[in-house]
PDB file of all heavy atoms in Angstrom:
ATOM      1  N   MET A1126    -243.283 -42.700  83.215  1.00 91.00           N
ATOM      2  CA  MET A1126    -242.563 -42.894  84.471  1.00 91.00           C
ATOM      3  C   MET A1126    -243.498 -43.124  85.662  1.00 91.00           C
ATOM      4  O   MET A1126    -243.070 -43.650  86.694  1.00 91.00           O
ATOM      5  CB  MET A1126    -241.659 -41.702  84.730  1.00 91.00           C
ATOM      6  CG  MET A1126    -240.463 -42.009  85.606  1.00 91.00           C
ATOM      7  SD  MET A1126    -239.291 -40.640  85.696  1.00 91.00           S
ATOM      8  CE  MET A1126    -238.509 -40.761  84.096  1.00 91.00           C
ATOM      9  N   SER A1127    -244.773 -42.743  85.552  1.00 87.00           N
ATOM     10  CA  SER A1127    -245.694 -42.965  86.675  1.00 87.00           C
ATOM     11  C   SER A1127    -245.854 -44.453  86.974  1.00 87.00           C
ATOM     12  O   SER A1127    -246.170 -44.836  88.099  1.00 87.00           O
ATOM     13  CB  SER A1127    -247.066 -42.334  86.394  1.00 87.00           C
ATOM     14  OG  SER A1127    -247.819 -43.099  85.471  1.00 87.00           O
ATOM     15  N   LEU A1128    -245.623 -45.297  85.986  1.00 84.00           N
ATOM     16  CA  LEU A1128    -245.723 -46.741  86.181  1.00 84.00           C
ATOM     17  C   LEU A1128    -244.651 -47.232  87.147  1.00 84.00           C
ATOM     18  O   LEU A1128    -244.827 -48.233  87.849  1.00 84.00           O
ATOM     19  CB  LEU A1128    -245.589 -47.464  84.836  1.00 84.00           C
ATOM     20  CG  LEU A1128    -245.813 -48.975  84.821  1.00 84.00           C
ATOM     21  CD1 LEU A1128    -247.259 -49.310  85.170  1.00 84.00           C
ATOM     22  CD2 LEU A1128    -245.464 -49.558  83.454  1.00 84.00           C
ATOM     23  N   TYR A1129    -243.509 -46.523  87.193  1.00 82.00           N
ATOM     24  CA  TYR A1129    -242.389 -46.923  88.041  1.00 82.00           C
ATOM     25  C   TYR A1129    -242.292 -46.044  89.297  1.00 82.00           C
ATOM     26  O   TYR A1129    -241.337 -46.142  90.057  1.00 82.00           O
ATOM     27  CB  TYR A1129    -241.077 -46.806  87.259  1.00 82.00           C
ATOM     28  CG  TYR A1129    -241.111 -47.490  85.914  1.00 82.00           C
ATOM     29  CD1 TYR A1129    -241.590 -46.829  84.791  1.00 82.00           C
ATOM     30  CD2 TYR A1129    -240.665 -48.802  85.772  1.00 82.00           C
ATOM     31  CE1 TYR A1129    -241.635 -47.455  83.548  1.00 82.00           C
ATOM     32  CE2 TYR A1129    -240.707 -49.440  84.540  1.00 82.00           C
ATOM     33  CZ  TYR A1129    -241.189 -48.762  83.429  1.00 82.00           C
ATOM     34  OH  TYR A1129    -241.233 -49.389  82.211  1.00 82.00           O
ATOM     35  N   ASN A1130    -243.276 -45.185  89.493  1.00 75.00           N
ATOM     36  CA  ASN A1130    -243.181 -44.178  90.535  1.00 75.00           C
ATOM     37  C   ASN A1130    -244.379 -44.242  91.485  1.00 75.00           C
ATOM     38  O   ASN A1130    -244.918 -43.225  91.906  1.00 75.00           O
ATOM     39  CB  ASN A1130    -243.093 -42.782  89.901  1.00 75.00           C
ATOM     40  CG  ASN A1130    -242.680 -41.715  90.885  1.00 75.00           C
ATOM     41  OD1 ASN A1130    -241.740 -41.906  91.653  1.00 75.00           O
ATOM     42  ND2 ASN A1130    -243.374 -40.597  90.876  1.00 75.00           N
ATOM     43  N   ASN A1131    -244.798 -45.486  91.780  1.00 71.00           N
ATOM     44  CA  ASN A1131    -245.930 -45.703  92.699  1.00 71.00           C
ATOM     45  C   ASN A1131    -247.178 -44.941  92.266  1.00 71.00           C
ATOM     46  O   ASN A1131    -247.914 -44.376  93.075  1.00 71.00           O
ATOM     47  CB  ASN A1131    -245.544 -45.306  94.121  1.00 71.00           C
ATOM     48  CG  ASN A1131    -244.419 -46.151  94.671  1.00 71.00           C
ATOM     49  OD1 ASN A1131    -244.384 -47.358  94.458  1.00 71.00           O
ATOM     50  ND2 ASN A1131    -243.474 -45.517  95.342  1.00 71.00           N
ATOM     51  N   SER A1132    -247.385 -44.893  90.949  1.00 70.00           N
ATOM     52  CA  SER A1132    -248.561 -44.252  90.359  1.00 70.00           C
ATOM     53  C   SER A1132    -248.675 -42.768  90.714  1.00 70.00           C
ATOM     54  O   SER A1132    -249.772 -42.220  90.751  1.00 70.00           O
ATOM     55  CB  SER A1132    -249.845 -45.005  90.751  1.00 70.00           C
ATOM     56  OG  SER A1132    -249.835 -46.307  90.190  1.00 70.00           O
ATOM     57  N   MET A1133    -247.543 -42.110  90.926  1.00 81.00           N
ATOM     58  CA  MET A1133    -247.510 -40.659  91.060  1.00 81.00           C
ATOM     59  C   MET A1133    -247.163 -40.077  89.705  1.00 81.00           C
ATOM     60  O   MET A1133    -246.225 -40.539  89.055  1.00 81.00           O
ATOM     61  CB  MET A1133    -246.463 -40.234  92.088  1.00 81.00           C
ATOM     62  CG  MET A1133    -246.775 -40.648  93.504  1.00 81.00           C
ATOM     63  SD  MET A1133    -248.177 -39.760  94.213  1.00 81.00           S
ATOM     64  CE  MET A1133    -247.504 -38.116  94.315  1.00 81.00           C
ATOM     65  N   ASN A1134    -247.924 -39.095  89.278  1.00 86.00           N
ATOM     66  CA  ASN A1134    -247.686 -38.509  87.969  1.00 86.00           C
ATOM     67  C   ASN A1134    -246.550 -37.496  88.059  1.00 86.00           C
ATOM     68  O   ASN A1134    -246.735 -36.370  88.489  1.00 86.00           O
ATOM     69  CB  ASN A1134    -248.948 -37.817  87.431  1.00 86.00           C
ATOM     70  CG  ASN A1134    -248.721 -37.251  86.041  1.00 86.00           C
ATOM     71  OD1 ASN A1134    -247.810 -37.676  85.332  1.00 86.00           O
ATOM     72  ND2 ASN A1134    -249.532 -36.299  85.642  1.00 86.00           N
ATOM     73  N   LEU A1135    -245.366 -37.925  87.668  1.00 87.00           N
ATOM     74  CA  LEU A1135    -244.209 -37.048  87.673  1.00 87.00           C
ATOM     75  C   LEU A1135    -244.218 -36.253  86.373  1.00 87.00           C
ATOM     76  O   LEU A1135    -243.915 -36.781  85.306  1.00 87.00           O
ATOM     77  CB  LEU A1135    -242.935 -37.869  87.796  1.00 87.00           C
ATOM     78  CG  LEU A1135    -241.627 -37.095  87.916  1.00 87.00           C
ATOM     79  CD1 LEU A1135    -241.653 -36.216  89.163  1.00 87.00           C
ATOM     80  CD2 LEU A1135    -240.446 -38.057  87.997  1.00 87.00           C
ATOM     81  N   ARG A1136    -244.579 -34.976  86.451  1.00 93.00           N
ATOM     82  CA  ARG A1136    -244.743 -34.156  85.264  1.00 93.00           C
ATOM     83  C   ARG A1136    -243.430 -34.042  84.498  1.00 93.00           C
ATOM     84  O   ARG A1136    -242.377 -33.726  85.042  1.00 93.00           O
ATOM     85  CB  ARG A1136    -245.231 -32.754  85.650  1.00 93.00           C
ATOM     86  CG  ARG A1136    -246.617 -32.695  86.276  1.00 93.00           C
ATOM     87  CD  ARG A1136    -247.703 -33.218  85.359  1.00 93.00           C
ATOM     88  NE  ARG A1136    -247.755 -32.513  84.100  1.00 93.00           N
ATOM     89  CZ  ARG A1136    -248.464 -31.407  83.860  1.00 93.00           C
ATOM     90  NH1 ARG A1136    -249.181 -30.859  84.832  1.00 93.00           N
ATOM     91  NH2 ARG A1136    -248.489 -30.857  82.664  1.00 93.00           N
ATOM     92  N   GLY A1137    -243.516 -34.314  83.207  1.00 95.00           N
ATOM     93  CA  GLY A1137    -242.353 -34.199  82.334  1.00 95.00           C
ATOM     94  C   GLY A1137    -241.426 -35.385  82.346  1.00 95.00           C
ATOM     95  O   GLY A1137    -240.439 -35.411  81.609  1.00 95.00           O
ATOM     96  N   GLY A1138    -241.694 -36.406  83.185  1.00 93.00           N
ATOM     97  CA  GLY A1138    -240.825 -37.565  83.278  1.00 93.00           C
ATOM     98  C   GLY A1138    -241.336 -38.716  82.432  1.00 93.00           C
ATOM     99  O   GLY A1138    -242.462 -39.176  82.613  1.00 93.00           O
ATOM    100  N   MET A1139    -240.505 -39.179  81.516  1.00 95.00           N
ATOM    101  CA  MET A1139    -240.918 -40.277  80.624  1.00 95.00           C
ATOM    102  C   MET A1139    -239.696 -40.905  79.974  1.00 95.00           C
ATOM    103  O   MET A1139    -238.629 -40.293  79.895  1.00 95.00           O
ATOM    104  CB  MET A1139    -241.862 -39.767  79.539  1.00 95.00           C
ATOM    105  CG  MET A1139    -241.225 -38.759  78.621  1.00 95.00           C
ATOM    106  SD  MET A1139    -242.409 -37.620  77.914  1.00 95.00           S
ATOM    107  CE  MET A1139    -243.079 -36.823  79.362  1.00 95.00           C
ATOM    108  N   PHE A1140    -239.857 -42.138  79.522  1.00 96.00           N
ATOM    109  CA  PHE A1140    -238.824 -42.829  78.769  1.00 96.00           C
ATOM    110  C   PHE A1140    -239.189 -42.816  77.283  1.00 96.00           C
ATOM    111  O   PHE A1140    -240.293 -42.412  76.909  1.00 96.00           O
ATOM    112  CB  PHE A1140    -238.670 -44.269  79.270  1.00 96.00           C
ATOM    113  CG  PHE A1140    -238.355 -44.372  80.730  1.00 96.00           C
ATOM    114  CD1 PHE A1140    -239.295 -44.875  81.631  1.00 96.00           C
ATOM    115  CD2 PHE A1140    -237.127 -43.967  81.217  1.00 96.00           C
ATOM    116  CE1 PHE A1140    -239.008 -44.969  82.984  1.00 96.00           C
ATOM    117  CE2 PHE A1140    -236.832 -44.054  82.575  1.00 96.00           C
ATOM    118  CZ  PHE A1140    -237.774 -44.556  83.454  1.00 96.00           C
ATOM    119  N   HIS A1141    -238.251 -43.306  76.453  1.00 97.00           N
ATOM    120  CA  HIS A1141    -238.497 -43.384  75.009  1.00 97.00           C
ATOM    121  C   HIS A1141    -237.995 -44.699  74.417  1.00 97.00           C
ATOM    122  O   HIS A1141    -237.853 -44.814  73.203  1.00 97.00           O
ATOM    123  CB  HIS A1141    -237.824 -42.197  74.301  1.00 97.00           C
ATOM    124  CG  HIS A1141    -238.373 -40.862  74.715  1.00 97.00           C
ATOM    125  ND1 HIS A1141    -237.903 -40.186  75.817  1.00 97.00           N
ATOM    126  CD2 HIS A1141    -239.372 -40.102  74.195  1.00 97.00           C
ATOM    127  CE1 HIS A1141    -238.567 -39.049  75.951  1.00 97.00           C
ATOM    128  NE2 HIS A1141    -239.469 -38.972  74.995  1.00 97.00           N
ATOM    129  N   ASN A1142    -237.739 -45.689  75.284  1.00 96.00           N
ATOM    130  CA  ASN A1142    -237.268 -46.989  74.806  1.00 96.00           C
ATOM    131  C   ASN A1142    -238.312 -47.725  73.985  1.00 96.00           C
ATOM    132  O   ASN A1142    -237.974 -48.583  73.163  1.00 96.00           O
ATOM    133  CB  ASN A1142    -236.868 -47.870  75.986  1.00 96.00           C
ATOM    134  CG  ASN A1142    -235.658 -47.347  76.707  1.00 96.00           C
ATOM    135  OD1 ASN A1142    -235.769 -46.390  77.465  1.00 96.00           O
ATOM    136  ND2 ASN A1142    -234.504 -47.947  76.480  1.00 96.00           N
ATOM    137  N   CYS A1143    -239.578 -47.418  74.230  1.00 98.00           N
ATOM    138  CA  CYS A1143    -240.660 -48.134  73.554  1.00 98.00           C
ATOM    139  C   CYS A1143    -241.308 -47.276  72.473  1.00 98.00           C
ATOM    140  O   CYS A1143    -242.481 -47.455  72.144  1.00 98.00           O
ATOM    141  CB  CYS A1143    -241.709 -48.588  74.569  1.00 98.00           C
ATOM    142  SG  CYS A1143    -241.083 -49.739  75.802  1.00 98.00           S
ATOM    143  N   PHE A1144    -240.551 -46.346  71.908  1.00 98.00           N
ATOM    144  CA  PHE A1144    -241.080 -45.453  70.883  1.00 98.00           C
ATOM    145  C   PHE A1144    -240.479 -45.770  69.528  1.00 98.00           C
ATOM    146  O   PHE A1144    -239.259 -45.728  69.348  1.00 98.00           O
ATOM    147  CB  PHE A1144    -240.808 -43.996  71.259  1.00 98.00           C
ATOM    148  CG  PHE A1144    -241.340 -43.006  70.249  1.00 98.00           C
ATOM    149  CD1 PHE A1144    -242.703 -42.853  70.052  1.00 98.00           C
ATOM    150  CD2 PHE A1144    -240.472 -42.253  69.485  1.00 98.00           C
ATOM    151  CE1 PHE A1144    -243.194 -41.947  69.114  1.00 98.00           C
ATOM    152  CE2 PHE A1144    -240.945 -41.342  68.549  1.00 98.00           C
ATOM    153  CZ  PHE A1144    -242.310 -41.194  68.366  1.00 98.00           C
ATOM    154  N   LEU A1145    -241.332 -46.142  68.563  1.00 98.00           N
ATOM    155  CA  LEU A1145    -240.960 -46.454  67.176  1.00 98.00           C
ATOM    156  C   LEU A1145    -239.920 -47.565  67.102  1.00 98.00           C
ATOM    157  O   LEU A1145    -238.838 -47.401  66.534  1.00 98.00           O
ATOM    158  CB  LEU A1145    -240.454 -45.203  66.447  1.00 98.00           C
ATOM    159  CG  LEU A1145    -241.451 -44.055  66.274  1.00 98.00           C
ATOM    160  CD1 LEU A1145    -240.853 -42.957  65.400  1.00 98.00           C
ATOM    161  CD2 LEU A1145    -242.776 -44.520  65.704  1.00 98.00           C
ATOM    162  N   LYS A1146    -240.259 -48.707  67.640  1.00 98.00           N
ATOM    163  CA  LYS A1146    -239.338 -49.835  67.675  1.00 98.00           C
ATOM    164  C   LYS A1146    -239.821 -50.974  66.779  1.00 98.00           C
ATOM    165  O   LYS A1146    -241.017 -51.189  66.594  1.00 98.00           O
ATOM    166  CB  LYS A1146    -239.176 -50.341  69.114  1.00 98.00           C
ATOM    167  CG  LYS A1146    -238.521 -49.322  70.049  1.00 98.00           C
ATOM    168  CD  LYS A1146    -237.104 -48.994  69.604  1.00 98.00           C
ATOM    169  CE  LYS A1146    -236.407 -48.009  70.521  1.00 98.00           C
ATOM    170  NZ  LYS A1146    -236.795 -46.612  70.263  1.00 98.00           N
ATOM    171  N   SER A1147    -238.852 -51.712  66.251  1.00 98.00           N
ATOM    172  CA  SER A1147    -239.158 -52.893  65.446  1.00 98.00           C
ATOM    173  C   SER A1147    -239.630 -54.023  66.362  1.00 98.00           C
ATOM    174  O   SER A1147    -239.461 -53.970  67.580  1.00 98.00           O
ATOM    175  CB  SER A1147    -237.912 -53.340  64.677  1.00 98.00           C
ATOM    176  OG  SER A1147    -236.932 -53.844  65.579  1.00 98.00           O
ATOM    177  N   ASP A1148    -240.199 -55.057  65.744  1.00 97.00           N
ATOM    178  CA  ASP A1148    -240.610 -56.235  66.525  1.00 97.00           C
ATOM    179  C   ASP A1148    -239.407 -56.857  67.227  1.00 97.00           C
ATOM    180  O   ASP A1148    -239.501 -57.325  68.364  1.00 97.00           O
ATOM    181  CB  ASP A1148    -241.269 -57.268  65.615  1.00 97.00           C
ATOM    182  CG  ASP A1148    -242.705 -56.907  65.250  1.00 97.00           C
ATOM    183  OD1 ASP A1148    -243.338 -56.174  66.030  1.00 97.00           O
ATOM    184  OD2 ASP A1148    -243.171 -57.343  64.188  1.00 97.00           O
ATOM    185  N   GLU A1149    -238.264 -56.855  66.540  1.00 97.00           N
ATOM    186  CA  GLU A1149    -237.056 -57.454  67.118  1.00 97.00           C
ATOM    187  C   GLU A1149    -236.633 -56.709  68.382  1.00 97.00           C
ATOM    188  O   GLU A1149    -236.356 -57.322  69.421  1.00 97.00           O
ATOM    189  CB  GLU A1149    -235.928 -57.434  66.097  1.00 97.00           C
ATOM    190  CG  GLU A1149    -234.620 -58.040  66.608  1.00 97.00           C
ATOM    191  CD  GLU A1149    -233.505 -57.977  65.580  1.00 97.00           C
ATOM    192  OE1 GLU A1149    -233.736 -57.446  64.478  1.00 97.00           O
ATOM    193  OE2 GLU A1149    -232.391 -58.459  65.887  1.00 97.00           O
ATOM    194  N   ALA A1150    -236.580 -55.381  68.299  1.00 97.00           N
ATOM    195  CA  ALA A1150    -236.179 -54.590  69.467  1.00 97.00           C
ATOM    196  C   ALA A1150    -237.230 -54.666  70.567  1.00 97.00           C
ATOM    197  O   ALA A1150    -236.894 -54.721  71.756  1.00 97.00           O
ATOM    198  CB  ALA A1150    -235.946 -53.141  69.063  1.00 97.00           C
ATOM    199  N   PHE A1151    -238.498 -54.696  70.159  1.00 97.00           N
ATOM    200  CA  PHE A1151    -239.586 -54.722  71.137  1.00 97.00           C
ATOM    201  C   PHE A1151    -239.608 -56.022  71.923  1.00 97.00           C
ATOM    202  O   PHE A1151    -240.030 -56.045  73.074  1.00 97.00           O
ATOM    203  CB  PHE A1151    -240.919 -54.525  70.414  1.00 97.00           C
ATOM    204  CG  PHE A1151    -241.795 -53.483  71.037  1.00 97.00           C
ATOM    205  CD1 PHE A1151    -241.287 -52.249  71.370  1.00 97.00           C
ATOM    206  CD2 PHE A1151    -243.131 -53.725  71.277  1.00 97.00           C
ATOM    207  CE1 PHE A1151    -242.091 -51.271  71.938  1.00 97.00           C
ATOM    208  CE2 PHE A1151    -243.952 -52.747  71.837  1.00 97.00           C
ATOM    209  CZ  PHE A1151    -243.416 -51.529  72.171  1.00 97.00           C
ATOM    210  N   GLY A1152    -239.168 -57.095  71.284  1.00 95.00           N
ATOM    211  CA  GLY A1152    -239.164 -58.389  71.950  1.00 95.00           C
ATOM    212  C   GLY A1152    -237.910 -58.636  72.762  1.00 95.00           C
ATOM    213  O   GLY A1152    -237.782 -59.690  73.393  1.00 95.00           O
ATOM    214  N   GLY A1153    -236.979 -57.659  72.760  1.00 95.00           N
ATOM    215  CA  GLY A1153    -235.726 -57.819  73.479  1.00 95.00           C
ATOM    216  C   GLY A1153    -235.536 -56.764  74.550  1.00 95.00           C
ATOM    217  O   GLY A1153    -236.486 -56.120  74.999  1.00 95.00           O
ATOM    218  N   GLU A1154    -234.288 -56.572  74.932  1.00 93.00           N
ATOM    219  CA  GLU A1154    -233.977 -55.695  76.054  1.00 93.00           C
ATOM    220  C   GLU A1154    -234.361 -54.247  75.796  1.00 93.00           C
ATOM    221  O   GLU A1154    -234.852 -53.557  76.701  1.00 93.00           O
ATOM    222  CB  GLU A1154    -232.485 -55.783  76.369  1.00 93.00           C
ATOM    223  CG  GLU A1154    -232.061 -54.960  77.574  1.00 93.00           C
ATOM    224  CD  GLU A1154    -230.592 -55.132  77.899  1.00 93.00           C
ATOM    225  OE1 GLU A1154    -229.933 -55.962  77.233  1.00 93.00           O
ATOM    226  OE2 GLU A1154    -230.107 -54.440  78.798  1.00 93.00           O
ATOM    227  N   ILE A1155    -234.152 -53.761  74.557  1.00 93.00           N
ATOM    228  CA  ILE A1155    -234.437 -52.353  74.266  1.00 93.00           C
ATOM    229  C   ILE A1155    -235.896 -52.036  74.530  1.00 93.00           C
ATOM    230  O   ILE A1155    -236.234 -51.044  75.184  1.00 93.00           O
ATOM    231  CB  ILE A1155    -234.074 -52.021  72.808  1.00 93.00           C
ATOM    232  CG1 ILE A1155    -232.571 -52.119  72.584  1.00 93.00           C
ATOM    233  CG2 ILE A1155    -234.567 -50.611  72.438  1.00 93.00           C
ATOM    234  CD1 ILE A1155    -232.143 -51.905  71.146  1.00 93.00           C
ATOM    235  N   GLY A1156    -236.791 -52.875  74.002  1.00 94.00           N
ATOM    236  CA  GLY A1156    -238.221 -52.625  74.102  1.00 94.00           C
ATOM    237  C   GLY A1156    -238.916 -53.323  75.243  1.00 94.00           C
ATOM    238  O   GLY A1156    -240.149 -53.388  75.283  1.00 94.00           O
ATOM    239  N   ARG A1157    -238.146 -53.890  76.164  1.00 94.00           N
ATOM    240  CA  ARG A1157    -238.699 -54.452  77.408  1.00 94.00           C
ATOM    241  C   ARG A1157    -239.494 -55.740  77.212  1.00 94.00           C
ATOM    242  O   ARG A1157    -240.486 -55.993  77.886  1.00 94.00           O
ATOM    243  CB  ARG A1157    -239.575 -53.433  78.144  1.00 94.00           C
ATOM    244  CG  ARG A1157    -238.971 -52.049  78.304  1.00 94.00           C
ATOM    245  CD  ARG A1157    -237.689 -52.069  79.079  1.00 94.00           C
ATOM    246  NE  ARG A1157    -237.233 -50.710  79.381  1.00 94.00           N
ATOM    247  CZ  ARG A1157    -235.965 -50.320  79.348  1.00 94.00           C
ATOM    248  NH1 ARG A1157    -235.015 -51.169  78.994  1.00 94.00           N
ATOM    249  NH2 ARG A1157    -235.626 -49.080  79.659  1.00 94.00           N
ATOM    250  N   TYR A1158    -239.078 -56.582  76.237  1.00 96.00           N
ATOM    251  CA  TYR A1158    -239.553 -57.959  76.136  1.00 96.00           C
ATOM    252  C   TYR A1158    -241.067 -58.086  75.911  1.00 96.00           C
ATOM    253  O   TYR A1158    -241.756 -58.812  76.630  1.00 96.00           O
ATOM    254  CB  TYR A1158    -239.123 -58.754  77.374  1.00 96.00           C
ATOM    255  CG  TYR A1158    -237.621 -58.783  77.545  1.00 96.00           C
ATOM    256  CD1 TYR A1158    -236.993 -57.889  78.406  1.00 96.00           C
ATOM    257  CD2 TYR A1158    -236.836 -59.676  76.813  1.00 96.00           C
ATOM    258  CE1 TYR A1158    -235.608 -57.892  78.554  1.00 96.00           C
ATOM    259  CE2 TYR A1158    -235.454 -59.680  76.952  1.00 96.00           C
ATOM    260  CZ  TYR A1158    -234.842 -58.791  77.818  1.00 96.00           C
ATOM    261  OH  TYR A1158    -233.482 -58.793  77.953  1.00 96.00           O
ATOM    262  N   HIS A1159    -241.582 -57.410  74.914  1.00 96.00           N
ATOM    263  CA  HIS A1159    -242.975 -57.594  74.516  1.00 96.00           C
ATOM    264  C   HIS A1159    -243.115 -58.884  73.704  1.00 96.00           C
ATOM    265  O   HIS A1159    -242.202 -59.289  72.978  1.00 96.00           O
ATOM    266  CB  HIS A1159    -243.442 -56.424  73.652  1.00 96.00           C
ATOM    267  CG  HIS A1159    -243.582 -55.124  74.392  1.00 96.00           C
ATOM    268  ND1 HIS A1159    -242.505 -54.378  74.803  1.00 96.00           N
ATOM    269  CD2 HIS A1159    -244.694 -54.436  74.780  1.00 96.00           C
ATOM    270  CE1 HIS A1159    -242.937 -53.285  75.412  1.00 96.00           C
ATOM    271  NE2 HIS A1159    -244.258 -53.292  75.418  1.00 96.00           N
ATOM    272  N   PHE A1160    -244.281 -59.472  73.757  1.00 96.00           N
ATOM    273  CA  PHE A1160    -244.544 -60.669  72.947  1.00 96.00           C
ATOM    274  C   PHE A1160    -246.048 -60.873  72.800  1.00 96.00           C
ATOM    275  O   PHE A1160    -246.846 -60.340  73.573  1.00 96.00           O
ATOM    276  CB  PHE A1160    -243.898 -61.921  73.563  1.00 96.00           C
ATOM    277  CG  PHE A1160    -244.367 -62.241  74.967  1.00 96.00           C
ATOM    278  CD1 PHE A1160    -245.437 -63.100  75.188  1.00 96.00           C
ATOM    279  CD2 PHE A1160    -243.729 -61.679  76.067  1.00 96.00           C
ATOM    280  CE1 PHE A1160    -245.869 -63.392  76.476  1.00 96.00           C
ATOM    281  CE2 PHE A1160    -244.152 -61.971  77.366  1.00 96.00           C
ATOM    282  CZ  PHE A1160    -245.225 -62.827  77.569  1.00 96.00           C
ATOM    283  N   GLY A1161    -246.418 -61.633  71.768  1.00 95.00           N
ATOM    284  CA  GLY A1161    -247.815 -62.040  71.576  1.00 95.00           C
ATOM    285  C   GLY A1161    -248.739 -60.969  71.053  1.00 95.00           C
ATOM    286  O   GLY A1161    -249.958 -61.118  71.116  1.00 95.00           O
ATOM    287  N   GLY A1162    -248.210 -59.888  70.502  1.00 94.00           N
ATOM    288  CA  GLY A1162    -249.061 -58.798  70.029  1.00 94.00           C
ATOM    289  C   GLY A1162    -249.747 -59.100  68.703  1.00 94.00           C
ATOM    290  O   GLY A1162    -249.142 -59.673  67.802  1.00 94.00           O
ATOM    291  N   THR A1163    -251.019 -58.738  68.604  1.00 92.00           N
ATOM    292  CA  THR A1163    -251.759 -58.881  67.350  1.00 92.00           C
ATOM    293  C   THR A1163    -252.469 -57.569  67.031  1.00 92.00           C
ATOM    294  O   THR A1163    -252.852 -56.817  67.927  1.00 92.00           O
ATOM    295  CB  THR A1163    -252.816 -60.008  67.435  1.00 92.00           C
ATOM    296  OG1 THR A1163    -253.716 -59.733  68.516  1.00 92.00           O
ATOM    297  CG2 THR A1163    -252.157 -61.358  67.663  1.00 92.00           C
ATOM    298  N   THR A1164    -252.634 -57.302  65.738  1.00 91.00           N
ATOM    299  CA  THR A1164    -253.333 -56.101  65.282  1.00 91.00           C
ATOM    300  C   THR A1164    -254.443 -56.506  64.322  1.00 91.00           C
ATOM    301  O   THR A1164    -254.487 -57.637  63.833  1.00 91.00           O
ATOM    302  CB  THR A1164    -252.382 -55.139  64.549  1.00 91.00           C
ATOM    303  OG1 THR A1164    -251.923 -55.761  63.339  1.00 91.00           O
ATOM    304  CG2 THR A1164    -251.183 -54.777  65.412  1.00 91.00           C
ATOM    305  N   TYR A1165    -255.331 -55.567  64.036  1.00 86.00           N
ATOM    306  CA  TYR A1165    -256.413 -55.832  63.105  1.00 86.00           C
ATOM    307  C   TYR A1165    -255.882 -56.225  61.734  1.00 86.00           C
ATOM    308  O   TYR A1165    -256.395 -57.114  61.075  1.00 86.00           O
ATOM    309  CB  TYR A1165    -257.304 -54.600  62.966  1.00 86.00           C
ATOM    310  CG  TYR A1165    -258.244 -54.380  64.127  1.00 86.00           C
ATOM    311  CD1 TYR A1165    -258.333 -53.124  64.723  1.00 86.00           C
ATOM    312  CD2 TYR A1165    -259.028 -55.402  64.630  1.00 86.00           C
ATOM    313  CE1 TYR A1165    -259.197 -52.899  65.790  1.00 86.00           C
ATOM    314  CE2 TYR A1165    -259.883 -55.191  65.690  1.00 86.00           C
ATOM    315  CZ  TYR A1165    -259.972 -53.937  66.269  1.00 86.00           C
ATOM    316  OH  TYR A1165    -260.810 -53.720  67.323  1.00 86.00           O
ATOM    317  N   ASP A1166    -254.857 -55.522  61.271  1.00 87.00           N
ATOM    318  CA  ASP A1166    -254.362 -55.720  59.910  1.00 87.00           C
ATOM    319  C   ASP A1166    -253.078 -56.524  59.854  1.00 87.00           C
ATOM    320  O   ASP A1166    -252.360 -56.490  58.855  1.00 87.00           O
ATOM    321  CB  ASP A1166    -254.143 -54.350  59.235  1.00 87.00           C
ATOM    322  CG  ASP A1166    -255.449 -53.602  59.036  1.00 87.00           C
ATOM    323  OD1 ASP A1166    -256.471 -54.263  58.756  1.00 87.00           O
ATOM    324  OD2 ASP A1166    -255.463 -52.362  59.170  1.00 87.00           O
ATOM    325  N   ASN A1167    -252.765 -57.240  60.946  1.00 90.00           N
ATOM    326  CA  ASN A1167    -251.564 -58.070  60.998  1.00 90.00           C
ATOM    327  C   ASN A1167    -250.313 -57.287  60.598  1.00 90.00           C
ATOM    328  O   ASN A1167    -249.518 -57.713  59.755  1.00 90.00           O
ATOM    329  CB  ASN A1167    -251.731 -59.299  60.088  1.00 90.00           C
ATOM    330  CG  ASN A1167    -252.869 -60.193  60.529  1.00 90.00           C
ATOM    331  OD1 ASN A1167    -253.021 -60.468  61.712  1.00 90.00           O
ATOM    332  ND2 ASN A1167    -253.691 -60.627  59.579  1.00 90.00           N
TER     333      ASN A1167
END
């Protein structure tokens, strides 16, 4: 949540939309439209 809070560390405040998501969800509304990710082991 500090990313949305003018870089103030709000203790205990966090989201979970980007936790344990598939590529499909991550690339859409649930996971906030990620794209272009690469890993060492593909």
Side-chain angles (χ1 to χ4, degrees):
M1126 205 172 285
S1127 76
L1128 186 66
Y1129 309 86
N1130 193 46
N1131 297 319
S1132 295
M1133 293 291 293
N1134 182 21
L1135 184 60
R1136 295 299 303 272
M1139 63 208 61
F1140 303 110
H1141 297 86
N1142 293 77
C1143 298
F1144 181 67
L1145 297 186
K1146 295 297 181 280
S1147 68
D1148 283 335
E1149 180 181 1
F1151 229 48
E1154 183 177 355
I1155 294 176
R1157 312 300 188 219
Y1158 301 97
H1159 290 73
F1160 59 92
T1163 58
T1164 65
Y1165 283 131
D1166 294 324
N1167 298 316

